Amino acid sequence: MRTNRLWPILLCCLILSGCVKTKILDDVELIMTFGFDWDPTSENYKGTAVAPVYGKNEQSELGENIRYTGEAKTFQDINSFIQTEAPFQVEVGNIIDILFGEDLAKKGVAEIIYGINEIPDLGRDINVAIVQGDAETLLKTDYKMELTLSRFIEKLILNNSKSNIPKMNLHQFNYRLIGDGMDPFLPILRQSETSIDIVTLGMMKDDKLVHQIPYEQFFTFKLLYEDCEDHTYEFEWEEKNKTVAISSIRSTKSLHWKSKNEVVIKADIIGTLTESKKGEIKSFAAKKELEQAVTKKLEEEANQLIQTFQDLEIDPLMVGASAKSKFRDWNRKEWESQYSEITITPDISFELDLSNIVQ
């Protein structure tokens, strides 16, 4: 009796396995990076796709890439056009990087993003970034890299997300694009003579690039945005003519609402002094003086960032989202009309570990 009951299950498994579409890896082009630019003349999107090239010895050819370019009104049409250039079936399910040219980012990326979201077999942990200049130029340049171009960009963004900038993948970008009380931001890449660097962080209003913050402000922005762990900060102590390097930084960030129109962003920081070019901190009095100087400097930088965000009416720190969860009568239109006028105060507390204190 038991054997007879198993036969229908086994038969269904055999039928279903016969329905699975198989693909041979050597017969497909695995697109891993897609770059998009805007052509104002034709009013079309231009897409540049990058696929790795593997030969008989994969390791020796790991850094080789092949590129395809297409131009159309939508992402789907770009992908179809690229298929006319490729000798094998083009597959986009392995995309790990999406790049936008600077002009397109300023115009708005929503249409391309929504087209990408419609592909069911794409993951959402895809790296997203903006390129200074054209994405096509950056992707079509030959670099001397051990990794493929796609893997290099992936590791560049992921490693910096651990230390310099907050992470912003496709899933998080979508969330901030459609969510209330928040705006997305993206790392901005620049092509150098031999490689690719992250040079600024692009602040967006809805889906449009409106502002860039430089590397010097990365740490301050990250403090205001999220908890930090194992970071570094170089402090120019102008009053003492010293450059102080602080490492192993840990910080916690929290928002405290005093009223609907006043909020404090609190950041508690602990760090270790690792280098001082003009001498060590040799007393507890000097330690206290340094802590106060660092706190003052970070609060000044934080105030400047916050004021810039309010002037541009952008909310990358998700203050509006926090207000929405705090106040039941929160209204989006009312919040957007008042956001630039509310009081947002950074309250930063820096504490130095007792290393290098010898007196």
Side-chain angles (χ1 to χ4, degrees), residues 44-88:
N44 283 334
Y45 297 106
K46 182 182 291 186
T48 304
V50 179
V53 178
Y54 299 118
K56 293 181 180 180
N57 185 345
E58 180 176 323
Q59 295 301 319
S60 65
E61 299 189 33
L62 194 58
E64 295 188 18
N65 310 276
I66 188 169
R67 288 90 166 176
Y68 302 102
T69 302
E71 188 171 329
K73 299 288 185 184
T74 66
F75 170 73
Q76 298 291 354
D77 285 342
I78 290 173
N79 197 39
S80 297
F81 187 87
I82 286 175
Q83 181 61 75
T84 66
E85 301 177 348
F88 303 110

Side-chain angles (χ1 to χ4, degrees), residues 33-201:
T33 299
F34 233 122
F36 299 94
D37 294 295
W38 174 250
D39 186 345
T41 303
S42 63
E43 295 188 344
N44 283 334
Y45 297 106
K46 182 182 291 186
T48 304
V50 179
V53 178
Y54 299 118
K56 293 181 180 180
N57 185 345
E58 180 176 323
Q59 295 301 319
S60 65
E61 299 189 33
L62 194 58
E64 295 188 18
N65 310 276
I66 188 169
R67 288 90 166 176
Y68 302 102
T69 302
E71 188 171 329
K73 299 288 185 184
T74 66
F75 170 73
Q76 298 291 354
D77 285 342
I78 290 173
N79 197 39
S80 297
F81 187 87
I82 286 175
Q83 181 61 75
T84 66
E85 301 177 348
F88 303 110
Q89 178 65 36
V90 172
E91 295 291 336
V92 296
N94 282 49
I95 290 178
I96 57 176
D97 309 309
I98 296 172
L99 307 182
F100 298 111
E102 193 170 359
D103 288 343
L104 174 57
K106 291 177 179 178
K107 175 185 177 297
V109 301
E111 288 188 2
I112 290 293
I113 287 289
Y114 294 150
I116 292 170
N117 290 338
E118 291 175 355
I119 302 175
D121 54 346
L122 268 185
R124 292 296 175 259
D125 194 23
I126 297 174
N127 300 300
V128 187
I130 297 170
V131 175
Q132 275 191 357
D134 296 334
E136 180 184 13
T137 302
L138 182 141
L139 293 176
K140 285 193 171 182
T141 300
D142 289 321
Y143 306 94
K144 293 182 179 180
M145 299 174 176
E146 294 182 1
L147 300 171
T148 61
L149 180 58
S150 300
R151 289 299 179 190
F152 178 87
I153 294 173
E154 177 193 38
K155 290 185 178 296
L156 175 69
I157 295 174
L158 291 180
N159 286 332
N160 276 274
S161 296
K162 297 175 183 177
S163 57
N164 289 319
I165 57 176
K167 186 176 181 180
M168 183 63 63
N169 58 25
L170 179 61
H171 170 73
Q172 294 162 329
F173 186 89
N174 279 321
Y175 176 68
R176 284 156 181 76
L177 185 61
I178 64 175
D180 291 334
M182 63 187 83
D183 287 295
F185 54 86
L186 292 174
I188 297 183
L189 311 181
R190 180 180 63 190
Q191 176 186 348
S192 64
E193 291 184 2
T194 58
S195 188
I196 299 170
D197 309 312
I198 295 178
V199 288
T200 59
L201 198 57

Side-chain angles (χ1 to χ4, degrees), residues 286-296 350-352:
K287 170 182 177 291
K288 187 68 174 177
E289 187 179 11
L290 175 60
E291 288 173 341
Q292 292 175 344
V294 172
T295 295
K296 180 182 177 181
F350 172 71
E351 180 183 345
L352 192 66

